[in-house]
Amino acid sequence: QRQLVEAGGGLVQPGGSLRLSCATSGLPWKRDAIGWFRQLPGKGRESVSCIMPTGTTVTYTDSVKGRFTITRDNAKNTVYLKMNSLGPEDTAVYYCAATGSYCSAYVSDYDLWGQGTQVTVSS
């Protein structure tokens, strides 16, 4: 069965950067749009970013625009989320997920999820 695995989370100082990765060892996912979601403490899971199968179209939620960059390397079956200028408000568990050919901001549209990786931004 296809699985997604996130990596790259950890503790970072305010203003710092992290790069998260989402990889699958299963079937290639070049046909799938891949989304990044996060769940803040006491909050539901929310969309952060999404990238289309070709990588030419990307989306970001307003709170991360200009700070986060999503990319994908289909040859490596890996999607990345580069996060710059991190603040405490970015502290969350970050998840990647696969959907169909079109990006969506809705959790219910994704049919495959990773286990999540914790990002903590603190001084």
Side-chain angles (χ1 to χ4, degrees):
Q1 184 70 29
R2 181 177 168 187
Q3 297 182 17
L4 303 181
V5 179
E6 300 96 337
L11 177 65
V12 64
Q13 298 281 87
S17 298
L18 287 173
R19 189 180 73 161
L20 308 183
S21 64
C22 171
T24 179
S25 60
L27 294 174
W29 63 12
K30 63 182 181 180
R31 66 183 178 180
D32 294 327
I34 304 296
W36 282 99
F37 290 75
R38 67 186 181 186
Q39 187 157 6
L40 279 66
K43 299 285 189 177
R45 197 168 297 185
E46 64 182 23
S47 176
V48 175
S49 184
C50 187
I51 188 164
M52 296 285 280
T54 64
T56 57
T57 301
V58 299
T59 66
Y60 301 97
T61 193
D62 285 345
S63 63
V64 308
K65 286 180 180 177
R67 299 190 297 122
F68 291 11
T69 302
I70 187 170
T71 58
R72 70 188 296 160
D73 185 342
N74 287 339
K76 295 182 178 180
N77 294 325
T78 303
V79 171
Y80 304 94
L81 185 69
K82 182 65 167 63
M83 306 184 295
N84 295 324
S85 301
L86 288 164
E89 68 274 14
D90 298 310
T91 295
V93 178
Y94 284 73
Y95 300 86
C96 65
T99 185
S101 298
Y102 292 93
C103 279
S104 172
Y106 298 104
V107 168
S108 60
D109 287 337
Y110 291 79
D111 53 19
L112 183 66
W113 292 82
Q115 84 288 348
T117 185
Q118 176 71 47
V119 171
T120 302
V121 185
S122 177
S123 60

